[in-house]
């Protein structure tokens, strides 16, 4: 899943793709780099982000979704039912829902739904980072499974669960969720993971004792964690830097399942 933020304030690429023509061009570039899905978002969910009015989010998202939908599967990254509905009308076939509340929209429209774990509204979620009942993995899994079951019972046919890396979680929580991704995978719901350029990768991307690396210097850590997630069983990773991520994921899968991939690739050495 390639990230296309049509926002002025996203944490790593805010303002770059606000112009619809440039956004569409970038979306097509992500497809050329190997993205199977392009995730169009018109509202930043970074910690402390302000809510965008519906009319403004529609204005940012809908033209870009309709231009990309004939070329690639499009998801809409939103927490608002009205935006999800309009994006689906414009051609999106997945609602990527960081609030994990929009399954009725996905059910009514007959589209896929990504349920992400978000402990609180992004404007205050940093304050919630310490409030897990001891075991972040168990808390996240039980929350996501109960949402997924409600969505399935409401008639949603394609459901993904996503641990919400970086959303109201400390670096230790994020690493613990990545380490124990197999617990999410064992639920049987397909797992999506987004680590790309996130803040917890900053200190891991710079030498000990130095300032944490900014989002622009978190490429290697983003790619490494995406490859790790896929080896641990994730079925989808969300990435800004699609080309290196696709490359690393393919290599990691080939290493994890050499048989399957050697035969498929015709390489018998
Ligand atoms: N992360 C972000 C946004 N949407 N959706 C899913 N399913 N999983 C994620 O981890 C996820 C997501 C945050 O990243 P980004 O879109 O780059 O930043 P911003 O929210 O500032 O636009």
């Amino acid at each position: 899943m390639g990230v296309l933020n049509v926002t002025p304030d996203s944490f790593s690429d805010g303002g770059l793709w606000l112009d619809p023509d440039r956004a569409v061009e970038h979306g097509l570039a992500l497809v050329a780099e190997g993205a199977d899905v392009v995730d169009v978002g018109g509202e930043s969910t970074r910690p402390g982000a302000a809510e965008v009015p519906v009319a403004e989010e529609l204005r940012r998202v809908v033209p870009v979704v309709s231009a990309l939908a004939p070329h690639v599967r499009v998801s809409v990254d939103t927490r608002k039912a009205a935006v999800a509905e309009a994006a689906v009308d414009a051609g999106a076939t997945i609602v990527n829902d960081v609030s994990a509340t929009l399954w009725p929209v996905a059910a009514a429209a007959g589209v896929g739904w990504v349920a992400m774990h978000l402990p609180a509204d992004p404007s205050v979620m940093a304050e919630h980072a310490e409030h897990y009942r001891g075991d972040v993995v168990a808390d996240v899994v039980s929350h996501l499974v109960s949402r997924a079951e409600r969505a399935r019972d409401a008639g949603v046919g394609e459901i993904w669960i996503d641990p919400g890396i970086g959303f109201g979680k400390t670096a230790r929580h994020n690493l613990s969720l990545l380490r124990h991704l197999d617990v999410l995978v064992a639920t049987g719901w397909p797992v999506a993971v987004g680590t790309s350029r996130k803040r917890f990768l900053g200190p891991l991307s710079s030498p000990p004792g130095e300032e944490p690396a900014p989002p622009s210097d978190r490429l290697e850590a983003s790619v490494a964690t995406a490859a790790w997630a896929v080896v641990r069983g994730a079925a989808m990773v969300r990435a800004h830097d699609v080309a290196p991520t696709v490359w690393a994921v393919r290599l990691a899968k080939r290493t994890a399942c050499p048989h399957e991939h050697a035969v498929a690739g015709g390489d018998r050495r």
Side-chain angles (χ1 to χ4, degrees):
M1 174 186 268
V3 181
L4 181 55
N5 285 320
V6 193
T7 63
D9 58 346
S10 287
F11 79 95
S12 79
D13 55 357
L16 285 181
W17 319 117
L18 201 48
D19 171 67
D21 292 339
R22 291 202 61 198
V24 172
E25 206 178 300
H26 185 58
L28 295 174
L30 297 178
V31 178
E33 289 179 26
D36 295 319
V37 176
V38 173
D39 189 37
V40 179
E43 177 180 67
S44 171
T45 49
R46 73 186 196 291
E51 198 169 324
V52 175
V54 178
E56 173 60 14
E57 198 176 327
L58 287 171
R59 199 185 61 76
R60 293 177 187 174
V61 161
V62 171
V64 177
V65 170
S66 30
L68 287 175
H71 305 283
V72 65
R73 188 161 196 208
V74 175
S75 57
V76 59
D77 184 354
T78 188
R79 295 182 288 155
K80 299 189 184 77
V83 175
E85 283 161 358
V88 168
D89 285 345
T93 59
I94 304 180
V95 177
N96 176 26
D97 176 10
V98 304
S99 70
T101 59
L102 298 180
W103 71 86
V105 175
V111 296
W113 180 62
V114 180
M116 200 201 76
H117 180 267
L118 175 70
D121 190 87
S123 59
V124 295
M125 70 185 172
E127 296 155 25
H128 286 250
E130 302 294 347
H131 293 179
Y132 295 96
R133 282 163 290 152
D135 184 351
V136 67
V137 178
D139 276 12
V140 167
V141 167
S142 78
H143 175 83
L144 291 175
V145 166
S146 91
R147 297 295 168 107
E149 287 172 350
R150 286 167 77 174
R152 178 197 56 204
D153 295 347
V156 182
E158 178 189 0
I159 299 168
W160 303 76
I161 58 171
D162 181 327
I165 298 294
F167 285 82
K169 299 173 182 84
T170 62
R172 201 168 49 80
H173 293 142
N174 294 323
L175 290 171
S176 188
L177 284 162
L178 287 173
R179 191 174 312 121
H180 299 293
L181 213 57
D182 52 328
V183 180
L184 271 83
V185 172
T187 64
W189 299 102
V191 173
V193 177
T195 58
S196 191
R197 301 181 183 172
K198 285 191 177 161
R199 191 205 307 228
F200 79 107
L201 300 176
L204 304 173
S205 303
S206 57
E210 286 189 20
E211 284 294 295
S216 54
D217 290 342
R218 298 175 191 163
L219 172 65
E220 293 84 351
S222 302
V223 168
T225 47
W228 165 269
V230 167
V231 168
R232 296 299 268 182
M236 177 153 70
V237 287
R238 184 177 180 277
H240 299 83
D241 301 289
V242 169
T245 306
V246 167
W247 183 86
V249 161
R250 283 198 183 135
L251 186 69
K253 283 174 82 170
R254 197 178 170 123
T255 312
C257 325
H259 249 22
E260 229 172 84
H261 292 272
V263 173
D267 176 358
R268 292 169 192 277
R269 272 180 298 166

